Amino acid sequence: MASNKKFGLGMGVNALLGNAVDIDSIRKPVGYVNKEIVGNRSNDTREKADIVRIPVELIEPNPFQPRMSFDGEALEELAQSIRTLGLIQPITVRMVEDGKYQIISGERRFRACRSCGMEMIPAYIRDTSEQGMMEMAIVENIQRRDLDPIEVALGYKRLIDECHLTHEKMAERVGKKRTSISNSLRLLTLPAKIQHDLKVGLLSEGHAKVLLGIDDSIIQEELCDRVIKEGLSVRQLEVLAKDPEAGRKPAAPKQDQQLPDHYYQVLEHIGKYFTKDISLKRSASGKGSMTIRFDSDEEVRRFLEALDNAKI
């Protein structure tokens, strides 16, 4: 006679494995029992799809690594996961001279494994040239979700400059639309200050695309500052971009400040070494700036030599 006992989906793991199951106690670190590489000799009978375990001292970082920085906290979290569960996804390497292996993809995993004290690291071995390795490494990093927009754009630029890929070929490699790649590359034409703000998250990519529609770099930077200081939305920035003067507070009329006599002495001494005029501005509070323009490296060298002789 059939049992009337019903098991609902909400009963969880206990319904399947019995009561008082400690999930952590039944988890085991991932182990790869395929062929090992010992010293600098490999098992020549391995298949292309094999996962081999390579001594950590034989693995070298990827010289074409597009990633600029690795978050220390996130790296430690990954290391802790590897200590508990093992390396679930092996790294990918290629063989180079002297029996060494260079990482194609998985440098973050490699660093975490090394910090765990692992002596052997599971890896796939791929036959590829430096060109192919560079391309694979860049494409893999571009597809990561935690890259900032500038890192992505620089990755595209490297594919163009170093791998000689067209926008169409890049679109195929990374699974993006050609227009998306072109728009990303345009971010690199923004002033360095705006690129920095975009990179560190002070500015969104949507804001940056609006700023790209402005030809004047000074206005671009001014509007960038306003976005950050006033918390402007992309829509608000679009309105300002059509009329950058809108909402701008009128500047207070400047008043000429009489320079103290010793300021003119500074201008006279420095001016002997440069053919261009030197400008010096000073506010009523005593703050200011001095601008030196020069015509050649020789003028700068002569000025530095004078400073050295004067032991300043």
Side-chain angles (χ1 to χ4, degrees):
M1 186 172 73
S3 171
N4 291 327
K5 190 174 183 179
K6 296 182 180 179
F7 293 93
L9 291 176
M11 297 183 69
V13 177
N14 286 345
L16 300 174
L17 302 178
N19 292 325
V21 174
D22 181 358
I23 297 300
D24 289 336
S25 69
I26 64 175
R27 284 195 174 111
K28 302 293 182 184
V30 173
Y32 293 98
V33 293
N34 297 62
K35 305 168 183 63
E36 291 188 359
I37 292 177
V38 181
N40 60 2
R41 294 175 299 167
S42 62
N43 188 332
D44 293 331
T45 63
R46 69 180 184 274
E47 299 294 331
K48 295 286 186 186
D50 276 348
I51 299 171
V52 296
R53 298 171 69 242
I54 305 176
V56 66
E57 66 269 14
L58 296 183
I59 301 175
E60 300 176 344
N62 183 347
F64 309 111
Q65 170 60 249
R67 195 166 181 77
M68 299 175 183
S69 61
F70 293 85
D71 182 83
E73 185 176 345
L75 205 60
E76 177 53 36
E77 289 177 0
L78 177 59
Q80 184 56 47
S81 172
I82 291 172
R83 290 186 191 98
T84 305
L85 303 174
L87 182 63
I88 296 172
Q89 181 183 358
I91 65 174
T92 304
V93 298
R94 72 167 185 139
M95 182 180 282
V96 291
E97 295 178 354
D98 302 326
K100 295 291 183 73
Y101 296 83
Q102 276 183 352
I103 298 171
I104 295 176
S105 66
E107 184 160 337
R108 181 170 170 269
R109 280 166 276 154
F110 168 71
R111 291 183 182 217
C113 288
R114 191 172 56 183
S115 73
C116 290
M118 289 178 62
E119 296 180 355
M120 306 286 284
I121 297 182
Y124 296 105
I125 299 177
R126 292 195 61 170
D127 294 327
T128 185
S129 63
E130 282 196 357
Q131 178 81 5
M133 176 183 177
M134 183 191 307
E135 186 177 320
M136 283 188 284
I138 295 173
V139 169
E140 190 220 18
N141 274 274
I142 287 174
Q143 291 171 334
R144 297 182 66 89
R145 293 186 177 182
D146 56 349
L147 292 183
D148 64 67
I150 295 300
E151 283 181 312
V152 172
L154 288 172
Y156 290 148
K157 189 173 187 301
R158 288 192 66 186
L159 286 174
I160 292 173
D161 296 343
E162 301 174 35
C163 300
H164 311 294
L165 294 185
T166 63
H167 287 203
E168 288 79 10
K169 288 292 184 184
M170 278 197 291
E172 293 176 10
R173 296 286 199 280
V174 301
K176 300 280 187 181
K177 292 182 179 179
R178 184 186 180 284
T179 53
S180 174
I181 290 172
S182 298
N183 287 334
S184 181
L185 284 166
R186 289 180 64 212
L187 296 175
L188 299 179
T189 66
L190 289 167
K193 175 182 179 297
I194 298 178
Q195 289 189 41
H196 169 270
D197 292 343
L198 179 59
K199 183 173 178 59
V200 300
L202 293 175
L203 197 72
S204 76
E205 192 167 356
H207 289 104
K209 288 178 179 177
V210 176
L211 295 176
L212 281 169
I214 301 172
D215 294 330
D216 191 321
S217 62
I218 295 177
I219 295 178
Q220 284 178 326
E221 292 186 0
E222 287 179 354
L223 290 180
C224 174
D225 288 341
R226 289 195 60 181
V227 168
I228 296 170
K229 291 177 181 177
E230 301 174 26
L232 301 179
S233 67
V234 173
R235 178 59 187 152
Q236 289 172 317
L237 178 60
E238 287 174 342
V239 173
L240 275 180
K242 294 176 182 177
D243 182 11
E245 297 296 327
R248 180 183 288 179
K249 294 180 180 178
K254 294 183 178 179
Q255 296 181 352
D256 293 335
Q257 295 293 327
Q258 184 67 31
L259 295 176
D261 290 342
H262 58 275
Y263 278 58
Y264 291 105
Q265 293 176 11
V266 171
L267 292 174
E268 181 181 351
H269 284 302
I270 296 178
K272 291 187 295 185
Y273 302 97
F274 299 97
T275 57
K276 297 287 187 181
D277 289 337
I278 299 173
S279 64
L280 197 156
K281 296 179 181 179
R282 175 186 178 276
S283 67
S285 65
K287 296 181 179 179
S289 64
M290 181 166 59
T291 303
I292 300 175
R293 297 178 179 83
F294 53 89
D295 276 337
S296 66
D297 292 340
E298 177 60 24
E299 288 187 358
V300 177
R301 188 200 63 75
R302 194 165 62 240
F303 180 57
L304 289 175
E305 185 178 336
L307 290 177
D308 288 339
N309 292 337
K311 296 183 179 180
I312 296 176

